[in-house]
């Protein structure tokens, strides 16, 4: 059995590393893509994970497959295509650690994942199926994502959903809103950032947004609040979980690190999502905050994910 599997994009993050002696910007090749990042966070902590997606059979795609295997993530569902190239994202990191993205994704392989390429035995043998919203931008991967979710529901999987808004990947904000909201009805566990509350619910107040998502059928909602920490909402109530003090150098993958930590703890509890108390969810979030806090002190996403020892050390540190 797998603790968690993810379906969606895995791509190259070319992350800004500064300037060379000629003043040219230098970018480092890092494995990225939010669903893959979440699986890497879980795997580094000791979970058994798998990833379903598609990249090109090129230098970048082969690098991504090697990265999955090095992380201990099952890659049997990761297809390398002869027909499409690996999607690339260029990430400019600002002085405060925040990021600006530029994508090379027209005919990118991650968008071209077909239903026939989804190994259903992976889904049937997993406790959690995790997905984001980038796989909802285009066909055929949009239909493939819905197909995988329906098969996971039939198999009794817990559905984890982390919508991730990148304006440049959508034809319009209205289309993004429609497609990103379409997955809420299937979600058992859901994480959104404070910036995405309006897009997903039409409500800017994160507590009200969380309540609206709960009314839509989500069992546990978590709103990440950057350095402040996270807000968790269950059927029993809501609670603010304070973040850790740290010196962030790169926020790439911070939310994915957090959610990987949260899902890791959930996968260990052997309880149905609707039976989790607010106190238990808050403990999962505190652990997730620790994972994210270690992650942002290094560059890149997957390379920065901490192991259990590093996370336990961080948990000893002071909260904000």
């Amino acid at each position: 059995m797998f603790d968690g599997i993810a379906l969606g994009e895995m791509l190259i993050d070319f992350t800004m590393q500064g300037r060379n002696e000629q003043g040219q910007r230098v970018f480092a090749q890092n494995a990225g893509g939010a669903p893959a990042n979440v699986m890497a966070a879980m795997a580094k902590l000791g979970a058994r994970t798998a990833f379903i997606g598609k990249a090109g059979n090129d230098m970048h795609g082969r690098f991504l497959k090697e990265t999955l295997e090095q992380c201990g993530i099952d890659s049997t569902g990761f297809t390398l295509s002869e027909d499409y190239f690996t999607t690339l994202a260029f990430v400019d990191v600002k002085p405060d650690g925040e990021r600006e993205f530029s994508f090379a994704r027209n005919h990118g392989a991650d968008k071209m994942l077909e239903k026939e390429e989804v190994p259903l035995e992976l889904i049937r043998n997993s406790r959690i199926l995790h997905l984001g919203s980038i796989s909802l931008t285009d066909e055929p991967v949009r239909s493939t994502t819905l197909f995988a979710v329906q098969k996971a529901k039939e198999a009794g999987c817990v559905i984890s959903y982390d919508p991730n808004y990148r304006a440049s990947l959508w034809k319009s904000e209205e289309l993004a809103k429609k497609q990103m909201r379409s997955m809420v009805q299937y979600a058992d566990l859901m994480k959104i950032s404070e910036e995405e509350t309006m897009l997903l619910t039409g409500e800017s107040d994160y507590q009200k947004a969380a309540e609206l998502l709960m009314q839509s059928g989500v069992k546990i909602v978590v709103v990440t609040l950057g350095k402040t920490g996270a807000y968790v909402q269950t059927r029993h109530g809501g609670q603010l979980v304070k973040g850790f003090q740290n010196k962030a150098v790169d926020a790439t993958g911070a939310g994915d690190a957090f959610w990987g930590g949260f899902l890791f703890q959930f996968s260990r509890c052997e309880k149905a999502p609707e039976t989790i108390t607010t106190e238990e969810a808050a403990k999962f979030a505190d652990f997730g905050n620790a994972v994210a806090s270690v992650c942002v002190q290094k560059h890149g996403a997957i390379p920065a994910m901490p192991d259990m020892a590093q996370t336990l050390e961080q948990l000893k540190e002071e909260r904000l």
Side-chain angles (χ1 to χ4, degrees):
M1 284 291 292
F2 291 95
D3 298 300
I5 65 171
L7 181 146
E9 77 279 4
M10 190 178 190
L11 46 78
I12 301 293
D13 282 333
F14 280 114
T15 311
M16 170 78 163
Q17 298 287 286
R19 295 180 183 270
N20 64 15
E21 293 173 358
Q22 287 77 40
Q24 297 161 312
R25 291 196 291 177
V26 177
F27 291 83
Q29 181 200 45
N30 287 302
N37 292 344
V38 172
M39 290 303 101
M42 289 184 72
K44 291 270 186 84
L45 293 165
R48 187 164 183 234
T49 63
F51 182 75
I52 300 168
K54 195 170 188 174
N57 189 11
D58 50 37
M59 62 184 284
H60 300 305
R62 291 188 290 273
F63 167 72
L64 292 176
K65 197 168 180 77
E66 286 167 13
T67 300
L68 288 173
E69 288 159 4
Q70 286 167 4
C71 289
I73 301 168
D74 186 295
S75 66
T76 54
F78 188 60
T79 304
L80 294 184
S81 170
E82 299 293 344
D83 301 316
Y84 305 102
F85 65 84
T86 302
T87 299
L88 310 176
F90 293 85
V91 189
D92 189 4
V93 182
K94 305 299 182 184
D96 63 357
E98 288 304 314
R99 306 143 299 149
E100 180 182 339
F101 291 86
S102 177
F103 290 91
R105 195 179 179 232
N106 285 341
H107 302 296
D110 76 287
K111 297 196 298 188
M112 309 311 293
L113 184 69
E114 302 277 358
K115 294 175 187 176
E116 299 74 33
E117 295 170 314
V118 176
L120 295 178
E121 65 276 11
L122 286 183
I123 291 174
R124 294 189 191 106
N125 289 307
S126 182
R127 173 150 162 72
I128 300 166
L129 172 65
H130 172 70
L131 55 129
S133 58
I134 303 298
S135 60
L136 303 175
T137 57
D138 295 272
E139 293 291 1
V141 71
R142 183 188 298 157
S143 294
T144 302
T145 302
L146 183 58
F147 169 77
V149 167
Q150 289 168 339
K151 292 298 179 184
K153 282 283 188 187
E154 289 171 15
C157 284
V158 172
I159 306 297
S160 160
Y161 180 41
D162 178 10
N164 193 7
Y165 182 56
R166 298 281 180 258
S168 62
L169 295 181
W170 294 91
K171 293 181 177 70
S172 70
E173 187 176 309
E174 280 307 306
L175 180 63
K177 199 181 291 185
K178 179 186 174 187
Q179 293 298 336
M180 290 169 73
R181 291 182 180 188
S182 72
M183 197 52 64
V184 174
Q185 62 185 307
Y186 302 104
D188 298 300
L189 311 174
M190 187 168 169
K191 177 189 87 65
I192 58 171
S193 68
E194 190 175 12
E195 298 78 32
E196 290 155 351
T197 55
M198 271 296 288
L199 204 67
L200 270 297
T201 68
E203 182 60 69
S204 59
D205 181 276
Y206 64 82
Q207 293 186 14
K208 290 178 181 175
E211 286 168 9
L212 284 171
L213 292 169
M214 292 290 294
Q215 288 166 20
S216 298
V218 186
K219 311 298 191 304
I220 302 174
V221 176
V222 184
V223 185
T224 52
L225 306 170
K227 295 172 184 175
T228 307
Y231 177 78
V232 299
Q233 178 83 44
T234 72
R235 65 200 299 186
H236 307 287
Q239 185 175 328
L240 184 65
V241 184
K242 292 181 178 179
F244 291 83
Q245 295 181 350
N246 61 59
K247 292 183 179 178
V249 297
D250 183 2
T252 306
D256 303 326
F258 167 85
W259 197 234
F262 188 99
L263 291 181
F264 175 83
Q265 292 289 61
F266 171 77
S267 73
R268 291 296 190 263
C269 77
E270 297 184 353
K271 291 178 71 174
E274 60 271 22
T275 68
I276 300 291
T277 66
T278 306
E279 291 73 22
E280 287 170 324
K283 286 180 182 178
F284 299 169
D286 187 53
F287 185 86
N289 281 338
V291 177
S293 185
V294 179
C295 176
V296 300
Q297 294 177 62
K298 300 176 186 176
H299 287 284
I302 289 176
M305 297 299 176
D307 59 22
M308 183 60 80
Q310 293 168 309
T311 304
L312 292 176
E313 278 302 307
Q314 183 63 46
L315 281 164
K316 298 174 185 174
E317 298 297 319
E318 191 177 342
R319 277 67 168 173
L320 290 168

